[in-house]
Amino acid sequence: MQKNKLTLYIFIALVLGVIAGYIYNATVINAINTKMSVAEAQIKTIDLQIAAAKDTTTADFKALKTQRTAQAKVRKESDTAREDKLVGFTVLSDIFLRLIKMIVAPLVFTTLVVGVAKVGDIKSVGRIGGKTLLWFLSATLVSLLLGMVLVNFFKPGEAMHLPLPDANLSTGIQKTALSLRDFIGHVFPKSFIEAMANNEILQIVVFSLFFGVATAAIGEPGLIVIKALDAIAHVILKITGYVMQLAPLAVFGAITAIIAKQGLGILSTYAIFIGEFYFSLLILWTVIVLAGFAVLQKRAFNLVGRIKDAMLIAFSTSTSEAAYPKVLLELERFGCNNKIVSFVLPLGYSFNLDGSMMYMTFASLFLAQSYGIHLSFSQQLSMLLVLMLTSKGIAGVPRASLVVIAGTISLFNIPEAGLALLIGIDPLLDMGRSATNVLGNAMATAVVSKWEGELGND
């Protein structure tokens, strides 16, 4: 499938997915959603009555608990029934994402080992790594700060006027603790095989760095290893080409499932918040491209044109990981040296998630505004720094951004139950931040290539 045709087919799949999702929601899913909404409304009413009860030993209190259990069962059964109705669509994107995950771990390992081995000595690795982390740290701080500034400018949460919820209410999201032990556990692998099996990109990167440096250090015997891994990397990239043929089907399935599940009504309900967040992402895109332009000049725009397919794939599937093989190919075609691409890009997927960074400050402060909780400038800066620390190394966790937010907002006395506001629309927001992550990582790789004098003509 030619490059321009792939873009066209993905766009057509997006449009058809929205149409199919709307029709399926109206004809099949809407009745189930209505049943769920009724059950959820009754659960909220019962929760308020339970919270107001003074005597927990009465027959009325026990009846309330029984009613709540019954309604929770109805909600769970309806949710299961809805997922069963959507399985025909979700299986399309699931197959594609599984095939991509099958590729990513061995591709990161082979390309990074070859890249580090070709760089050669530890000093060169340190120099390139230093420049890479400098860009990543700057991009992370800018993304977090921009999210903080824009959410204070737009104030999307002020219209919500939510009362503070019962502290016992739970969202079902397991929050992450600010723990040095957990962070180290995500960075340093205890088993390379386990890291590969779980697609723990950061752990694979650490092992690959050691392996690449050691391969270069042993001299001539290491050339055999480099040649073999280079050949394996090319085989995996060939497999990538085959897998990408399925991208339009995956896009259609993913979009149809999201629209069918939530309905177009959710867009109108949260239109202001969604619109302001996506406008903020556009500002972040502008900042990223202008930063790239300062180094790459007009070629920065050429790079954006090259990776539009990868951004569309990340947008449609709500995961930047799905675009990794495509981005790697396009960066090499753009003129970036293979050793730089295979070194910088994997690091970016753990340390340079620009879209996710912006979302974390935007969403956290949105929740504070929704409950009328005022946070001073110093508190907001503290939140920014906490988010920067807690976000590293958990890129492979499902709903990673929500998990990080859940672990952070409790430190600032923002009710965790407020995350229920975001759960419904998180897939829609995840699409935009995933595409932004792809743009940020591609631009970072091209800039580091230029700094190292390793950027050829495309």
Side-chain angles (χ1 to χ4, degrees):
M1 194 181 294
Q2 292 178 356
K3 182 183 171 184
N4 57 343
K5 286 188 177 180
L6 180 62
T7 306
L8 176 63
Y9 292 156
I10 290 174
F11 181 75
I12 292 172
L14 269 169
V15 175
L16 291 177
V18 172
I19 296 170
Y22 173 74
I23 294 172
Y24 200 70
N25 174 267
T27 57
V28 179
I29 304 297
N30 191 50
I32 300 174
N33 282 344
T34 302
K35 193 174 181 180
M36 284 183 68
S37 298
V38 171
E40 286 171 355
Q42 292 196 20
I43 288 171
K44 287 181 180 178
T45 302
I46 294 169
D47 281 339
L48 289 174
Q49 293 174 341
I50 290 173
K54 296 179 180 178
D55 189 352
T56 60
T57 61
T58 63
D60 289 341
F61 184 84
K62 291 178 181 177
L64 286 172
K65 297 289 284 186
T66 303
Q67 290 172 26
R68 193 190 190 286
T69 302
Q71 292 301 321
K73 184 180 179 182
V74 170
R75 182 177 62 182
K76 186 176 180 181
E77 288 175 348
S78 299
D79 187 49
T80 302
R82 183 173 65 178
E83 294 300 326
D84 289 343
K85 295 287 185 183
L86 294 173
V87 72
F89 298 110
T90 56
V91 73
L92 293 175
S93 57
D94 285 347
I95 290 171
F96 178 75
L97 290 176
R98 282 178 172 272
L99 290 172
I100 287 292
K101 287 178 182 293
M102 171 188 77
I103 294 167
V104 168
L107 187 59
V108 169
F109 172 66
T110 53
T111 54
L112 185 53
V113 169
V114 171
V116 172
K118 285 182 178 177
V119 168
D121 59 284
I122 296 177
K123 286 184 180 180
S124 299
V125 173
R127 186 186 68 249
I128 297 171
K131 292 177 180 178
T132 301
L133 291 177
L134 174 64
W135 179 275
F136 288 171
L137 184 61
S138 302
T140 296
L141 283 171
V142 168
S143 301
L144 288 167
L145 276 170
L146 196 55
M148 187 182 84
V149 169
L150 291 172
V151 77
N152 278 295
F153 176 75
F154 290 126
K155 300 185 185 299
E158 287 192 351
M160 305 297 288
H161 299 297
L162 296 178
L164 290 173
D166 187 343
N168 296 323
L169 295 180
S170 173
T171 60
I173 296 175
Q174 185 177 359
K175 59 187 178 183
T176 181
L178 181 61
S179 166
L180 179 61
R181 183 184 293 275
D182 291 339
F183 176 74
I184 290 173
H186 278 293
V187 174
F188 299 102
K190 60 182 178 182
S191 165
F192 174 61
I193 303 300
E194 182 184 52
M196 291 282 281
N198 295 330
N199 263 11
E200 288 277 1
I201 300 300
L202 193 52
Q203 294 184 3
I204 295 170
V205 166
V206 170
F207 180 82
S208 302
L209 289 173
F210 277 108
F211 197 97
V213 170
T215 302
I218 62 174
E220 192 172 337
L223 296 176
I224 302 170
V225 177
I226 296 170
K227 191 173 181 180
L229 290 178
D230 196 25
I232 292 171
H234 280 85
V235 171
I236 297 170
L237 288 173
K238 190 66 177 176
I239 295 173
T240 298
Y242 300 147
V243 173
M244 283 300 160
Q245 305 289 326
L246 300 174
L249 282 176
V251 167
F252 172 76
I255 294 297
T256 302
I258 289 173
I259 300 299
K261 186 175 182 178
Q262 305 290 352
L264 290 176
I266 197 166
L267 295 177
S268 59
T269 304
Y270 288 92
I272 295 175
F273 178 74
I274 294 171
E276 289 174 351
F277 177 68
Y278 270 89
F279 181 74
S280 300
L281 283 181
L282 284 175
I283 294 175
L284 180 57
W285 285 18
T286 303
V287 171
I288 292 171
V289 173
L290 287 176
F293 180 82
V295 180
L296 303 171
Q297 301 302 309
K298 292 182 179 178
R299 293 191 67 186
F301 302 112
N302 178 252
L303 176 62
V304 175
R306 281 186 168 276
I307 61 168
K308 63 180 184 295
D309 288 353
M311 291 176 68
L312 270 173
I313 291 168
F315 178 84
S316 307
T317 58
S318 300
T319 171
S320 50
E321 194 175 74
Y324 179 88
K326 185 71 175 173
V327 176
L328 192 145
L329 276 170
E330 291 301 335
L331 282 168
E332 290 188 1
R333 290 171 181 167
F334 178 69
C336 297
N337 192 302
N338 172 264
K339 69 181 182 182
I340 303 295
V341 175
S342 55
F343 183 83
V344 176
L345 195 59
L347 289 175
Y349 270 71
S350 293
F351 287 104
N352 191 44
L353 303 176
D354 298 335
S356 298
M357 293 296 106
M358 168 176 275
Y359 175 69
M360 287 176 197
T361 45
F362 200 95
S364 298
L365 293 173
F366 163 74
L367 294 179
Q369 292 171 2
S370 298
Y371 287 111
I373 298 172
H374 175 72
L375 295 177
S376 66
F377 180 70
S378 60
Q379 286 177 309
Q380 292 187 33
L381 281 181
S382 298
M383 178 185 283
L384 183 150
L385 293 173
V386 170
L387 285 169
M388 189 168 74
L389 290 173
T390 54
S391 63
K392 301 309 178 188
I394 68 155
V397 177
R399 281 181 173 176
S401 296
L402 283 181
V403 172
V404 174
I405 292 168
T408 304
I409 59 176
S410 59
L411 300 175
F412 298 88
N413 299 317
I414 301 170
E416 184 194 336
L419 287 171
L421 293 171
L422 301 173
I423 291 173
I425 56 171
D426 189 65
L428 296 171
L429 304 175
D430 201 11
M431 295 161 76
R433 62 182 187 250
S434 295
T436 307
N437 293 340
V438 170
L439 174 63
N441 284 325
M443 196 65 70
T445 307
V447 166
V448 174
S449 296
K450 180 70 173 180
W451 282 345
E452 282 293 303
E454 299 283 358
L455 182 63
N457 296 319
D458 57 328

